[in-house]
Amino acid sequence: LVCPDLETATADCERIGLGCNPGTIDVCNHLSCDALVARATCLGMPSIIVNCAAHSEYAPLTSHAYLSWKRTLDVSLLGAMNVIGAFGAQMVSSGTDGIIVNISSINATLPVPGYAAYCAAKAGLEMLTKTAALELAPHVRVNAIAPGPLDRPSRLATAFPAFYDDLKRRHPLAQRLTCSSDVVGVLCFLIGDSARWI
């Protein structure tokens, strides 16, 4: 289990159990990703990678918030590319059959004012997923999950409460936002053998 800081990773490992090993990574730094691959290989090459690092903040195009946009794109898109490149290369070279699942977002196709960088990063992540699926086949299966807004506190929910209320009202199944368990269910399917042809 890898998180930006060791304290969070260790706490999550204790909560999850199952003999998880905590680790840290800077997904924006390809050398950090390579170092994690080297460490993971010593413990036994992982066969499942879930890319869920993301960053977003309110930064309209007219604000010229270049550093904000760069941070969002670096973490949410370049970070995924670094992780896929590092682990994918090792899986292919070692002949390890693997699975990579990227956590995208409904915002890959649903734009939100003030979040152009995040929306663009997630749209890019979906094309990255498709390209990686072709490049890493047949050893590595690559997919993405694009959940809607999660039912949790966020800057976006605070900035656009009416937008979120409207999303809840319009959802045909339960008139609610996405729960983390909804995402986990799809993830478990995609890493399972039933999804071997997806």
Side-chain angles (χ1 to χ4, degrees):
L1 183 67
V2 180
C3 297
D5 63 271
L6 191 57
E7 183 179 346
T8 301
T10 301
D12 284 347
C13 281
E14 291 173 356
R15 180 176 53 82
I16 294 170
L18 304 175
C20 290
N21 292 300
T24 60
I25 187 174
D26 176 3
V27 295
C28 300
N29 184 336
H30 69 92
L31 296 177
S32 178
C33 296
D34 292 342
L36 181 64
V37 170
R39 178 183 171 201
T41 303
C42 292
L43 297 172
M45 186 63 195
S47 59
I48 299 170
I49 303 297
V50 180
N51 252 325
C52 58
H55 176 79
S56 70
E57 55 189 89
Y58 183 70
L61 290 171
T62 53
S63 67
H64 302 293
Y66 303 117
L67 292 179
S68 170
W69 302 337
K70 184 178 186 310
R71 176 68 178 160
T72 297
L73 290 165
D74 282 351
V75 174
S76 305
L77 181 56
L78 182 62
M81 185 176 288
N82 285 336
V83 171
I84 293 171
F87 279 96
Q90 182 63 29
M91 288 174 174
V92 170
S93 66
S94 65
T96 302
D97 287 335
I99 299 165
I100 297 175
V101 179
N102 299 315
I103 305 300
S104 181
S105 168
I106 193 173
N107 297 120
T109 56
L110 179 67
V112 178
Y115 288 86
Y118 180 77
C119 295
K122 290 303 185 178
L125 179 61
E126 294 199 356
M127 185 53 72
L128 174 62
T129 299
K130 294 174 182 180
T131 305
L134 294 176
E135 287 193 19
L136 301 179
H139 287 295
V140 184
R141 191 170 76 233
V142 187
N143 282 293
I145 301 171
L150 288 173
D151 191 8
R152 61 180 175 81
S154 70
R155 294 186 195 97
L156 194 57
T158 301
F160 297 99
F163 174 75
Y164 273 70
D165 288 342
D166 184 53
L167 285 179
K168 289 180 185 179
R169 281 192 301 272
R170 288 189 295 131
H171 201 286
L173 294 179
Q175 294 190 336
R176 63 168 175 81
L177 297 182
T178 306
C179 296
S180 57
S181 59
D182 298 324
V183 180
V184 170
V186 177
L187 176 61
C188 289
F189 169 73
L190 286 176
I191 65 177
D193 192 52
S194 295
R196 64 188 176 276
W197 204 241
I198 296 177

